[in-house]
Amino acid sequence: MHSDSATSTFARHAVLSLSALIVIFPFLWIVAAGFKNQIDLLLGKFLFVPTWRNFEAIFNSTSDFARNFLNSIIVASTSMVLVLIVATLASYSLYRMRWPSWVLHSLLAWSVVFHMVPPITLAGAWFTMFRSLGLDNTLSGIILAHTTLNLPMALWMMGVFIRDVPNELVDAASMDGARTPQILRHVVLPIVRPGLAATGILSFIFSWNEFPVVLTLAQRQTATVPIGIGKYAQENTVAFTEMAAASTLSMLPAFLLLLIAQRFIVRGLTSGAVK
Amino acid sequence: MKNDVFWRYMTLMPAVVLFLALTIVPMINLFALSFHHIEWIERAAVWKSVGWSNYAAAFEDNLFRAGAVNTVIFAVVAVSIQMVLGFMLALLTTGVTRGRLFYRTVFLLPILVPGIIIGAIWKLMYSYDFGVINKTAIFLGMSPQDWLGNPHLALASVILVDVWHWTPFCFLLLLAALESLPQDIYEAARIDGSSPWQALRFITLPLMLPAIAVTFIFRMILALKVFDEVYLLTGGGPGTSTEVVSFTIYRRFFTEDRPGYGAAISIITFATVAILIFVAGRISRRRKVA
């Protein structure tokens, strides 16, 4: 399988570099467009004088983008914390506290089905429900929706990590008289910390990226970043370079998390896909 | 011990409550809604029973039919291309260790960026007047195309974006699986005089089948949910050429404010996907037994 000749290694690198270039080019192009004047973009100029105009424009007082950004941070981080708490408790309960197997299986089966259907099918029901509860057009409603959407993924990711906690440690702690809350805090949490990181990062990103549900639940004051981007595209006179600048800023969390926590992301994505 | 039972319920409760309140109850609500016509008076919904007529209407709805057909075409074509490209790339690049971190960072990027941004990027790149694609076409002496506005090209253009978006994901998963295959089998096959092609056909493919199946199913599920990119790139148009199911539901339920009818097509979609999952599960279980 491995032919280690120099030409074959060179060919492999050539294929990989070309693919990487194809993947990265659109990102470079949109970042560049964010720093262009509209006229430079329209003329398709390759060389241009970078400008901050677009970034100033999307943060001026008539633009909603700063509000969108703040909303996104609140929604993504709150729903991340909630989903981590709920999923960790539930996984510990399911895998470590001797539930009858039908409880485990029906909960997991339902979470798989719920994870697979398009979220828009439930968005309508959430909208009517939240509206009668007065939760429509509130950040709390969106946070609840995102927590629910990310719960299946968090359940099976945390399940993988919690099943790896050695039985002896838990047994030893309970022999010593530790109760469930203490076992969770002092034995389980320290061991599953990488799992919490992986699950947390992915649920933050998925909430940050989520579009259809926020589109149906939010109005102007509660809109998140993807809604803001969508709006740019729908206006009659599309401000292309401002849309590019806003897009560039919206990709920052993905960039940052990718650079500082790549190994957690890889672990999360593969464990999510294999289950 | 009594204490143990108490905590057993307490720890599972939040998840059960969340699932009940935000998935089961809404599903029941949606089901009830699908037999009604809704009018909003003040902030209260007034329900009027209409029997099965919402369901009957769904089968007459050309937009819903176009959405269903396009979603299936989109998912099957896009995912098949991604799988083939991803597998070929994985085969070609297995064993490369230098620059691994860099490549992986680049290939993870499209997966983590919001779908709506992917749409925004490609909408600009596809632009008839100034998009980089038409600029390149002109530079190469070809005629510029209206990639998203031409009904014959629009769905293919959307599929191309999805291929760009998700091939790296298929590549990364298949590469990981490929590199975890036991190497001694290849050594033995080589000693027995088998060609590289035979090794691929009789060793790699059979061993990779589970990984290929998992990646394929995972991608199909995501592809059937497609919404963000279509919303931004084409809005379902021109005509119904890129209409997809999620978009039809959104349009009927919210834009046209027909909750009863929107609920009916949501239920139909939900049921179809659930049946597909069930069938896929049965088939994969039978394969394992055989």
Side-chain angles (χ1 to χ4, degrees):
Chain A
M1 188 83 181
H2 293 288
S3 48
D4 290 317
S5 69
T7 40
S8 128
T9 311
F10 177 77
R12 282 159 206 257
H13 274 285
V15 171
L16 265 181
S17 325
L18 184 67
S19 323
L21 190 69
I22 293 172
V23 169
I24 211 163
F25 174 79
F27 294 110
L28 297 178
W29 194 76
I30 196 88
V31 172
F35 286 100
K36 283 180 182 176
N37 283 310
Q38 186 99 345
I39 186 74
D40 289 334
L41 181 73
L42 294 180
L43 292 174
K45 276 199 188 158
F46 188 64
L47 292 172
F48 61 96
V49 185
T51 168
W52 288 104
R53 259 197 59 240
N54 304 310
F55 291 91
E56 283 160 19
I58 59 175
F59 281 113
N60 75 16
S61 53
T62 57
S63 157
D64 287 336
F65 195 72
R67 163 61 70 79
N68 297 340
F69 214 83
L70 186 67
N71 286 343
S72 272
I73 291 174
I74 296 172
V75 168
S77 44
T78 316
S79 68
M80 174 190 82
V81 171
L82 284 177
V83 86
L84 284 181
I85 295 172
V86 175
T88 309
L89 289 177
S91 308
Y92 184 78
S93 193
L94 283 173
Y95 290 111
R96 283 305 158 97
M97 300 191 84
R98 283 180 238 98
W99 282 97
S101 71
W102 69 265
V103 174
L104 174 71
H105 288 131
S106 48
L107 210 78
L108 289 185
W110 175 248
S111 77
V112 168
V113 172
F114 169 64
H115 185 70
M116 288 177 176
V117 295
I120 194 82
T121 53
L122 273 172
W126 284 338
F127 176 75
T128 18
M129 204 171 102
F130 286 173
R131 190 155 168 169
S132 48
L133 293 173
L135 275 174
D136 60 322
N137 196 23
T138 63
L139 289 181
S140 317
I142 300 170
I143 289 168
L144 271 179
H146 279 186
T147 307
T148 315
L149 278 179
N150 283 329
L151 187 58
M153 174 209 58
L155 266 183
W156 64 69
M157 274 178 70
M158 287 315 297
V160 170
F161 285 92
I162 281 185
R163 266 176 294 171
D164 282 347
V165 175
N167 259 325
E168 302 80 49
L169 285 182
V170 178
D171 291 344
S174 67
M175 296 274 217
D176 290 346
R179 293 165 51 181
T180 305
Q182 287 142 352
I183 296 177
L184 267 172
R185 190 173 331 135
H186 298 297
V187 181
V188 177
L189 276 191
I191 301 179
V192 299
R193 208 172 281 157
L196 288 171
T199 315
I201 289 169
L202 284 187
S203 61
F204 184 93
I205 289 184
F206 291 153
S207 166
W208 183 274
N209 295 354
E210 202 283 327
F211 179 68
V213 171
V214 183
L215 181 68
T216 56
L217 294 183
Q219 281 162 27
R220 195 170 168 195
Q221 310 91 292
T222 49
T224 56
V225 164
I227 308 296
I229 307 283
K231 254 211 191 98
Y232 275 110
Q234 296 216 311
E235 279 159 16
N236 289 332
T237 52
V238 183
F240 296 113
T241 51
E242 287 177 26
M243 179 162 110
S247 299
T248 304
L249 289 176
S250 318
M251 296 190 290
L252 278 182
F255 281 138
L256 287 178
L257 289 173
L258 193 52
L259 288 182
I260 58 178
Q262 199 206 54
R263 67 199 171 96
F264 292 121
I265 294 173
V266 172
R267 207 188 298 189
L269 284 175
T270 45
S271 80
V274 169
K275 286 293 125 183
Chain B
M1 207 53 211
K2 202 181 267 172
N3 190 23
D4 208 8
V5 174
F6 171 75
W7 284 110
R8 195 166 72 140
Y9 282 99
M10 284 308 282
T11 43
L12 195 60
M13 190 133 77
V16 172
V17 169
L18 206 57
F19 269 146
L20 269 180
L22 279 137
T23 68
I24 308 278
V25 170
M27 277 304 296
I28 296 169
N29 192 24
L30 201 65
F31 191 65
L33 199 57
S34 70
F35 294 100
H36 290 82
H37 180 78
I38 304 297
E39 262 162 46
W40 291 98
I41 295 172
E42 296 293 296
R43 287 176 74 81
V46 177
W47 296 44
K48 211 176 81 196
S49 178
V50 292
W52 287 90
S53 72
N54 283 330
Y55 287 93
F59 291 96
E60 306 287 309
D61 186 344
N62 287 328
L63 193 67
F64 186 51
R65 187 176 312 134
V69 171
N70 284 336
T71 307
V72 172
I73 296 176
F74 169 85
V76 171
V77 174
V79 174
S80 306
I81 298 175
Q82 289 156 17
M83 291 298 295
V84 172
L85 281 181
F87 192 60
M88 277 165 49
L89 267 178
L91 279 177
L92 282 171
T93 59
T94 158
V96 169
T97 46
R98 267 174 75 192
R100 181 163 275 251
L101 195 68
F102 167 77
Y103 289 127
R104 208 165 60 177
T105 308
V106 170
F107 290 129
L108 279 174
L109 199 53
I111 302 166
L112 301 178
V113 162
I116 202 86
I117 307 284
I118 304 285
I121 294 175
W122 282 86
K123 192 181 175 89
L124 293 183
M125 298 212 311
Y126 272 139
S127 159
Y128 185 84
D129 303 310
F130 61 84
V132 66
I133 295 174
N134 274 348
K135 294 269 185 211
T136 313
I138 293 167
F139 180 76
L140 295 174
M142 294 183 289
S143 57
Q145 300 288 336
D146 191 358
W147 299 98
L148 298 171
N150 178 340
H152 301 292
L153 275 179
L155 188 60
S157 302
V158 173
I159 289 176
L160 179 69
V161 174
D162 200 70
V163 168
W164 173 86
H165 191 171
W166 287 104
T167 301
F169 175 79
C170 297
F171 164 63
L172 287 176
L173 279 193
L174 293 172
L175 183 67
L178 207 53
E179 294 189 332
S180 66
L181 296 184
Q183 289 304 311
D184 44 348
I185 306 180
Y186 291 101
E187 200 59 36
R190 211 167 44 87
I191 293 165
D192 289 345
S194 76
S195 69
W197 175 250
Q198 281 171 320
L200 174 68
R201 169 71 187 78
F202 295 106
I203 303 175
T204 310
L205 274 183
L207 285 179
M208 284 290 286
L209 213 55
I212 292 174
V214 165
T215 313
F216 184 80
I217 292 171
F218 191 84
R219 274 297 308 135
M220 280 302 277
I221 291 160
L222 275 177
L224 291 174
K225 294 185 190 179
V226 63
F227 183 85
D228 310 13
E229 290 89 339
V230 172
Y231 178 91
L232 208 123
L233 285 171
T234 60
T240 58
S241 56
T242 58
E243 184 74 26
V244 287
V245 168
S246 292
F247 206 72
T248 314
I249 294 175
Y250 170 72
R251 217 196 282 256
R252 295 293 190 232
F253 202 112
F254 294 98
T255 320
E256 297 167 8
D257 199 15
R258 292 164 63 191
Y261 181 64
I265 56 179
S266 296
I267 293 286
I268 295 174
T269 309
F270 196 100
T272 314
V273 175
I275 291 169
L276 279 180
I277 297 166
F278 182 73
V279 172
R282 284 308 272 280
I283 292 172
S284 71
R285 205 162 305 151
R286 197 167 306 158
R287 286 197 72 107
K288 231 171 267 169
V289 175

